[in-house]
């Protein structure tokens, strides 16, 4: 009996915690979404913006990933983006899978219109030169810098944690309530069966 009461108490606590976390997520969703768009907006958060035929230099670090994106409908091809070090040596980028290319980036309105083209990593901290040999504009993004700015924002972090914990805990609580209800239902069935068995026994004797 004590174990059943303890289980019911924990289910109540999980339910309460889940509701609180979900309410926190709902309360912070609007503000956190605006901040995510602001921090991920390609037009405002890029290292370089290069028009067709342009080149530009940027200070790159070896521990970071640099993603080149282009506007959907005006994409450029992988081989049209070139990266060189100061000695003229070409840096070969990493091709993206079709799933990775679905990870589009937002504009200032939050519309996902920027498509990843290729990712570059460098072997040392230095200035590097990007060449846009395509017919459309490209943008170079520092992914690590963008991710760090997202994680360091309190509202975004609270919203993410409350979402990631609130809904799974809610599911666990629902399962817990179902188990408690089943046990209670079985107990009621046993009482009814015993009642009818006793009634039948009295009639027979």
């Amino acid at each position: 009996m004590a174990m059943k009461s303890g289980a019911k108490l924990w289910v109540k606590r999980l339910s309460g915690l889940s509701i609180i976390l979900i309410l926190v997520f709902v309360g912070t969703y609007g503000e956190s979404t605006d901040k995510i768009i602001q921090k991920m907006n390609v037009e405002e958060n890029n290292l370089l913006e290069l028009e067709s035929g342009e080149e530009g230099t940027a200070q790159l670090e070896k521990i970071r990933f640099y993603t080149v994106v282009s506007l959907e409908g005006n994409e450029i091809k992988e081989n049209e983006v070139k990266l060189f070090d100061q000695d003229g040596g070409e840096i070969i980028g990493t091709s993206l899978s079709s799933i990775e290319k679905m990870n589009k980036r937002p504009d200032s309105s939050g519309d996902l219109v920027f498509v990843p083209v290729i990712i570059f990593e460098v072997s040392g901290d230095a200035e590097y030169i990007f060449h846009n040999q395509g017919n459309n504009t490209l943008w170079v993004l520092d992914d690590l810098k963008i991710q760090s700015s997202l994680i360091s924002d309190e509202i975004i972090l609270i919203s993410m944690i409350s979402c990631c914990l609130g809904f799974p805990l809610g599911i666990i609580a629902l399962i817990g309530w179902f188990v408690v209800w089943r046990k209670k239902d079985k107990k009621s069935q046993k009482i009814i069966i015993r009642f009818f068995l006793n009634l039948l026994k009295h009639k027979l004797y």
Side-chain angles (χ1 to χ4, degrees):
M1 189 71 180
M3 286 183 65
K4 289 181 181 178
S5 299
K8 194 172 181 180
L9 179 62
W10 275 107
V11 171
K12 284 182 177 180
R13 287 175 178 174
L14 279 177
S15 301
L17 181 59
S18 170
I19 290 169
I20 291 169
L21 288 170
I22 290 171
L23 288 174
V24 169
F25 169 68
V26 172
T28 58
Y29 177 77
E31 187 178 352
S32 66
T33 301
D34 290 341
K35 287 194 170 191
I36 289 170
I37 292 170
Q38 181 186 354
K39 291 177 183 296
M40 293 190 69
N41 173 16
V42 169
E43 295 156 314
E44 297 294 333
N45 299 281
N46 63 76
L47 289 177
L48 286 174
E49 178 181 346
L50 299 177
E51 301 290 339
S52 174
E54 283 188 341
E55 64 177 57
T57 60
Q59 183 72 30
L60 307 184
E61 299 176 16
K62 65 178 180 179
I63 61 170
R64 298 175 183 266
F65 296 93
Y66 300 94
T67 302
V68 175
V69 301
S70 61
L71 199 59
E72 191 173 32
N74 294 303
E75 291 95 343
I76 58 176
K77 297 177 182 177
E78 290 179 18
N79 59 5
E80 294 175 337
V81 185
K82 302 293 183 182
L83 179 63
F84 299 94
D85 59 25
Q86 290 295 321
D87 297 324
E90 184 176 357
I91 311 299
I92 305 301
T94 304
S95 300
L96 300 175
S97 66
S98 55
I99 294 174
E100 288 174 318
K101 287 182 179 180
M102 291 172 65
N103 183 24
K104 299 177 184 178
R105 311 303 170 86
D107 60 9
S108 57
S109 302
D111 297 323
L112 300 173
V113 294
F114 291 96
V115 183
V117 177
I118 192 169
I119 292 177
F120 287 101
E121 295 179 69
V122 295
S123 58
D125 300 353
E127 275 198 345
Y128 292 82
I129 306 164
F130 284 92
H131 287 253
N132 181 1
Q133 298 179 356
N135 296 320
N136 297 299
T137 308
L138 66 80
W139 290 262
V140 182
L141 309 178
D142 183 341
D143 280 338
L144 184 59
K145 183 180 179 181
I146 293 171
Q147 290 169 13
S148 297
S149 69
L150 291 172
I151 295 170
S152 62
D153 189 285
E154 288 184 4
I155 296 295
I156 294 174
L157 195 59
I158 289 169
S159 185
M160 288 173 60
I161 292 172
S162 59
C163 175
C164 293
L165 292 179
F167 291 101
L169 285 176
I171 293 169
I172 294 169
L174 283 174
I175 294 169
W177 280 118
F178 178 74
V179 171
V180 169
W181 175 80
R182 287 279 294 173
K183 286 182 178 179
K184 186 179 178 181
D185 190 51
K186 284 182 180 179
K187 186 178 179 182
S188 300
Q189 288 176 5
K190 286 180 182 179
I191 291 170
I192 293 168
I193 291 167
R194 283 176 187 170
F195 172 77
F196 279 108
L197 284 174
N198 289 330
L199 189 63
L200 183 64
K201 193 185 289 183
H202 284 302
K203 287 199 173 186
L204 287 173
Y205 296 101

